[in-house]
Each structure stands twice: as C-alpha cells, then as structure tokens.
Amino acid sequence: MNANAASPNPNGRPRKGRPVSEPTPGSRGRMLLPIAIAAVAAMFTAVMLLPALTGDSGDGGSAAATHDPTPKASPSASPTAPSPTTGDPLGNAGAPIALGRENAPVVMFAYSDFQCPFCGKFARDTEPELIRKYVDNGTLRIEWRDFPYLGPESLTAAKAARAAAMQGKFWPFHNALYADQPPPNSGKLTEDHLAGIAKRLKLDMPQFRRDLKSQQVADAVARDFSDGQAHGISGTPAFVINGRFVIGAQPLETFTKVIDEAAKNPG
C-alpha cells in the first residue's frame, strides 16, 4: 500500500489521509467480514446512542447537546483529518486531555472507547512506549477523542473520565479504567464503579458527581463523537497522525514508522 503521508494544504490543515496498512491478497478475504460487521455495528450503536448523547430522554425532552452528534459522513466515506486543538475537559484551551507539547511537530488524535478491548490493548501496551519515546522528548502530542460507540456504558465512562479531567486527573483515570477493563457491556461500568475509581484517585467526590451529570461534560463527549463521525471514523481505536490514518491496535512498529516519517516531514 502507498504509505505516503498526507501533504499539507495551503491553509495548513492536512489533507485526507489513508490507513497505513492494507491486507495482503491472502488475508483480504479474512478481513472483509469483520470489517463489514464492525461497520454495521458502529452504525447501529451510533443510532442507539444518539438520544443519550443529545440529552433526549425519548419522551419529548428538549435537552439537546450543543453539537448535534448525528453522523455528518457515512462510515464508508473517505476519512478526513481533524484540526489540531488544545484539549481541556470541555475541548477548549489547556491540556488535561492531551499529552505533550502544544507545538509538537507530530500530533496524534486517538479516537477511543473505554469499553473497546483493542483500545485497552493500545493503552496498556503501546501508548506507554510512545510516551517514553516521543512525548517525553517533545516530538509527539497525543490528543484524546471520545468515541463511545459500544453502548451506554461507554458513554457513562467517557463522561466520568471528563469529570476526572475537570480536576486534572484525566490520564490517571484513563489508566485506571484500562488497567482493569471489564468486557464490553458487562454491566460493570456503573456510576458507582466509576466513582470508586475517582475516590481512589482522591478526587473531590461531590464535584466529580456533579460534573459527571453536567450538560457541559455531556456536550464535550457528544462533540468528539460527532466530529469523529464527520471525519469518517466508524470504530475504535482509530488514530490520525499528521493527517495519516492508522486504524486499529497496530503493532508498535507501525506507529513508530508513521511518527518518524511525520517528524521528518511535519508539513
């Protein structure tokens, strides 16, 4: 597959990227079925999550999120790269949900779901190595993006992590969730379970519970979900590295190759 990085356009934003890995002829048939299933599941769960993400209770309530999470692009559409932003708990200024220098030459957007087993694998096995090798020396900035598409527990966990971020503890909360990750839709990611993690991290519990239920936090999660769909994201984990798309929990070597190339030609 052509693995060339996307070149910058005149206004400084990266052009459309493509996944870095492509199946070999021998593996193509084996990959088509799970990809099709994943796409159907993503569309189904996105539809199921819309009432929760928008604050619509299904009984005619009007507490809609600021940013409509209805898909702006089909999951099969060609993906486009998001624009770099700073990443506070509400998606504005600051850096509680981003790691690395704001002016790092390489920016990696990580679209993730706290229930996704492969997101957990990346968080436990690959991300620490990328932090050690690239974030710590100023080469890479990792920006978290919520994509809670696997069900209501994903949405609850995403809002809980944002509530932890409101107290500057997003990454410890993120690490704790992935370190002891239950199976998807097991019924274990309840508000009480998530509050237990917050308590172990010594968060202000009344504030945590208020933020967990706040419309500001719900809107921030909905905005990430909507923007991910608008950029062609349909499942997790999905990464955009200076405009290059890396889909799935690829081996560490895949990430280092793309980051090294991006660092040499940041655009």
Side-chain angles (χ1 to χ4, degrees), residues 155-228:
L155 179 58
T156 302
K159 291 191 290 187
R162 293 274 180 157
M166 297 293 282
Q167 299 185 49
K169 292 292 183 71
F170 174 83
W171 292 105
F173 199 91
H174 159 284
N175 293 342
L177 271 174
Y178 281 132
D180 186 22
Q181 185 182 34
N185 301 312
S186 63
K188 293 184 178 180
L189 286 181
T190 63
E191 289 187 9
D192 286 343
H193 174 79
L194 295 163
I197 296 175
K199 187 174 182 179
R200 291 199 300 273
L201 294 174
K202 302 186 184 306
L203 299 184
D204 180 318
M205 295 309 298
Q207 180 184 341
F208 174 81
R209 289 189 180 275
R210 284 195 304 271
D211 290 335
L212 175 60
K213 295 181 178 297
S214 76
Q215 190 62 42
Q216 280 186 311
V217 163
D219 288 349
V221 174
R223 182 166 52 246
D224 272 8
F225 188 70
S226 175
D227 289 347

Side-chain angles (χ1 to χ4, degrees), residues 6 78 93 98 112 148-149 222 234:
S78 298
S112 306
Y149 79 114
S234 61

Side-chain angles (χ1 to χ4, degrees), residues 58-259:
D59 59 359
S62 60
T66 300
H67 202 91
D68 180 5
T70 304
K72 302 298 191 299
S74 165
S76 61
S78 298
T80 58
S83 299
T85 63
T86 53
D88 78 354
L90 304 178
N92 302 314
I97 56 171
L99 291 172
R101 293 191 297 121
E102 290 186 15
N103 62 346
V106 183
V107 178
M108 179 173 79
F109 299 90
Y111 288 89
S112 306
D113 183 314
F114 282 113
Q115 288 201 98
C116 168
F118 295 104
C119 296
K121 178 176 175 57
F122 170 81
R124 292 185 297 269
D125 299 343
T126 305
E127 191 171 56
E129 291 300 313
L130 298 182
I131 292 170
R132 180 188 62 79
K133 186 171 183 179
Y134 297 107
V135 174
D136 289 348
N137 70 11
T139 300
L140 176 68
R141 177 177 173 86
I142 299 175
E143 293 205 9
W144 172 269
R145 291 291 184 271
D146 280 305
F147 201 80
Y149 79 114
L150 288 177
E153 290 179 73
S154 298
L155 179 58
T156 302
K159 291 191 290 187
R162 293 274 180 157
M166 297 293 282
Q167 299 185 49
K169 292 292 183 71
F170 174 83
W171 292 105
F173 199 91
H174 159 284
N175 293 342
L177 271 174
Y178 281 132
D180 186 22
Q181 185 182 34
N185 301 312
S186 63
K188 293 184 178 180
L189 286 181
T190 63
E191 289 187 9
D192 286 343
H193 174 79
L194 295 163
I197 296 175
K199 187 174 182 179
R200 291 199 300 273
L201 294 174
K202 302 186 184 306
L203 299 184
D204 180 318
M205 295 309 298
Q207 180 184 341
F208 174 81
R209 289 189 180 275
R210 284 195 304 271
D211 290 335
L212 175 60
K213 295 181 178 297
S214 76
Q215 190 62 42
Q216 280 186 311
V217 163
D219 288 349
V221 174
R223 182 166 52 246
D224 272 8
F225 188 70
S226 175
D227 289 347
Q229 290 177 314
H231 291 114
I233 303 299
S234 61
T236 60
F239 307 90
V240 189
I241 304 173
N242 278 26
R244 292 273 303 278
F245 279 72
V246 179
I247 306 303
Q250 298 287 339
L252 175 64
E253 293 74 16
T254 298
F255 288 95
T256 59
K257 181 176 184 293
V258 176
I259 293 169

